[in-house]
Amino acid sequence: YTLSLHDALPIYDMNFDFELNLPYTLVSGENSSDLVGEKTKNYGEKALLIMDPFFKGGPVAEKIIGSLKNAGVEVVEFYDVVPNPRNTTIDRAADLARQNQCKAVVAVGGGSTIDTAKAVALVAHYGGKCWEYTERLGEEVKRPDKPGLPLIAVTTTAGTGSEVTPYAVINNPEVREKNSISNPAIYARTVIIDPVLMLNMPRKTTALTGIDAFCHCFESYLHTGSTFWSEMLSLQGMKVFAENIRECCFNGQNLEARTKMAWANTLGGMAIAVSGCTIPHAIGQPVGAMTDAAHGATLAACYPAILRWTLPVAQDKFAITAEILDPSVKNLSEKEKAERLPEICENLFEELVGEKLTFGGFGLKEDEIDPLADLIIKCFTWNLEFHPKVPSKEEIICLIKESM
């Protein structure tokens, strides 16, 4: 850390009571995706390959399919993946896996692809519809206590951390809701992090997924259930993000920067697997469902308002984060550093994306704000309750309006 240990981690205040569960094998390194066939064969000789359609017919698809076939794994291909994964798409892919008697699922792509695959692996094994497995306040939810089909996750973006979390975020356009499966049963069995696959990621995708990675680190750090383990991951993830995100956005062929951002992403995913997200995700995710805006974009749009509203609560963590993102504030007081954080984030996100992002710009309407607030309370209560300042419905409405 650039900060001393005692500045960054107040040990006397830490929570050392937690359960750590890392049920996956993690393989990292340049061209590590060459091993996907070898790793998949351990689970069976036929796999459903769920891949971002961006790669269809290209060198990445050729590389992955070649690795699987060379290992003797028969491949059933599925490319119908979209941002904000649809429940109907997941159910169709699960049916395809069952019909072809696939023994494993391989995911190659970003968070939408991996979330899709995690849900498919569960539903293909246990049956039913994927929406029945999502967490919804006051409704009956299926929660299997054992894994579904084995999943091999190959991440191609440095953003969601989905490859190392027990969550899958699913969009149901029919009811205009976006909810999560939250269950250790959907952890991937094998995770492959190959930065070579990220070299040609477009700038805006790099920026928005990178912002999501930072948000995971920061919200896990802010989370009232944070632990020594999660804070260690969060702080290191934010530091690596701050040092590499600009280079990844503006010089995407820099393999070293891509490698480090891939790890910032994974650290953020590991952190939220222990202590999850807070208000920004509670608001950003349903806005994504209602407008189909990219997840990182909805977070960038609401962060400044939420940060300003949260202060002066968690001033110490705000100050540490401000210095990580902008070392020039080092000589300011803790209060001054903390107060600078909303502006630092707002300016950084606009610089990375190339424009200012707002809910109104995504198409959210004023008359949708009140039902949106109700939806947030219904579907994301756990994110709200673990923010260091818990909002009322009226305060949620104000935060949405400030983000319009």
Side-chain angles (χ1 to χ4, degrees):
Y1 301 117
T2 53
L3 304 170
S4 75
L5 180 63
H6 291 293
D7 286 336
L9 292 172
I11 299 298
Y12 55 85
D13 249 352
M14 297 301 301
N15 175 12
F16 288 91
D17 298 328
F18 58 90
E19 179 177 329
L20 182 62
N21 180 18
L22 302 175
Y24 47 81
T25 298
L26 194 152
V27 183
S28 172
E30 188 175 338
N31 292 313
S32 55
S33 57
D34 290 343
L35 300 174
V36 67
E38 174 188 326
K39 298 298 181 182
T40 304
K41 191 176 181 180
N42 293 331
Y43 304 113
E45 296 185 347
K46 182 183 277 191
L48 178 67
L49 173 62
I50 299 178
M51 185 175 286
D52 189 312
F54 175 79
F55 298 118
K56 187 175 183 179
V60 171
E62 183 180 348
K63 178 178 184 175
I64 296 296
I65 294 170
S67 176
L68 289 164
K69 289 184 175 179
N70 289 340
V73 178
E74 185 180 344
V75 181
V76 178
E77 299 174 45
F78 185 86
Y79 295 96
D80 190 12
V81 178
V82 295
N84 300 311
R86 307 294 196 265
N87 61 315
T88 50
T89 300
I90 290 166
D91 290 336
R92 192 165 67 253
D95 287 341
L96 185 65
R98 279 194 296 267
Q99 290 164 9
N100 286 275
Q101 298 182 326
C102 294
K103 304 302 181 185
V105 177
V106 178
V108 182
S112 295
T113 303
I114 295 174
D115 279 9
T116 295
K118 288 197 287 191
V120 167
L122 195 68
V123 176
H125 182 73
Y126 285 103
K129 302 294 185 182
C130 72
W131 196 247
E132 298 167 359
Y133 296 82
T134 61
E135 296 295 331
R136 287 155 289 124
L137 192 65
E139 297 189 33
E140 187 174 345
V141 176
K142 291 184 177 180
R143 300 186 183 94
D145 58 3
K146 293 182 180 179
L149 295 180
L151 171 65
I152 299 84
V154 184
T155 181
T156 62
T157 64
T160 70
S162 180
E163 69 277 7
V164 291
T165 71
Y167 315 122
V169 183
I170 298 167
N171 189 15
N172 186 333
E174 184 178 348
V175 296
R176 299 188 78 192
E177 290 186 13
K178 191 174 184 181
N179 296 331
S180 297
I181 299 175
S182 179
N183 190 327
I186 63 170
Y187 268 117
R189 304 282 185 91
T190 300
V191 174
I192 295 177
I193 303 170
D194 183 354
V196 172
L197 301 182
M198 304 174 190
L199 289 174
N200 295 314
M201 200 182 350
R203 172 192 159 180
K204 192 165 186 178
T205 303
T206 297
L208 293 177
T209 54
I211 288 168
D212 190 22
F214 162 76
C215 294
H216 288 159
C217 293
F218 177 71
E219 290 174 47
S220 176
Y221 183 44
L222 204 61
H223 195 280
T224 57
S226 67
T227 68
F228 177 76
W229 168 259
S230 65
E231 290 198 15
M232 177 181 68
L233 297 171
S234 296
L235 285 163
Q236 183 67 9
M238 288 191 290
K239 180 176 183 292
V240 176
F241 163 85
E243 293 175 350
N244 293 279
I245 186 59
R246 287 183 175 89
E247 183 68 10
C248 288
C249 285
F250 303 117
N251 184 17
Q253 290 296 307
N254 185 324
L255 183 59
E256 180 181 359
R258 289 289 193 186
T259 300
K260 290 178 179 178
M261 264 307 301
W263 266 104
N265 164 56
T266 300
L267 290 168
M270 294 171 76
I272 62 170
V274 178
S275 54
C277 297
T278 60
I279 289 180
H281 271 73
I283 294 178
Q285 287 190 359
V287 170
M290 296 179 75
T291 65
D292 216 22
H295 178 53
T298 63
L299 295 174
C302 66
Y303 246 69
I306 292 170
L307 294 177
R308 286 191 294 267
W309 170 80
T310 302
L311 282 171
V313 178
Q315 179 175 286
D316 55 344
K317 291 187 176 183
F318 272 51
I320 289 170
T321 304
E323 186 173 341
I324 289 172
L325 294 179
D326 183 2
S328 72
V329 306
K330 181 176 182 179
N331 295 324
L332 299 179
S333 68
E334 179 181 273
K335 181 175 183 292
E336 289 171 324
K337 290 177 187 177
E339 289 173 344
R340 287 287 304 278
L341 184 60
E343 179 188 0
I344 290 170
C345 286
E346 188 169 24
N347 292 341
L348 176 60
F349 296 165
E350 187 170 346
E351 175 193 352
L352 297 176
V353 179
E355 61 179 314
K356 181 177 176 62
L357 299 169
T358 65
F359 288 171
F362 305 146
L364 187 69
K365 307 299 183 186
E366 290 286 341
D367 61 4
E368 294 177 312
I369 292 176
D370 191 84
L372 173 60
D374 289 332
L375 180 61
I376 290 166
I377 292 168
K378 172 187 175 183
C379 298
F380 296 93
T381 302
W382 45 90
N383 292 142
L384 303 176
E385 291 178 346
F386 286 103
H387 195 81
K389 183 179 177 182
V390 179
S392 64
K393 178 183 175 180
E394 290 71 26
E395 287 172 312
I396 292 171
I397 289 172
C398 287
L399 290 171
I400 296 168
K401 287 182 175 180
E402 286 184 39
S403 305
M404 288 293 285

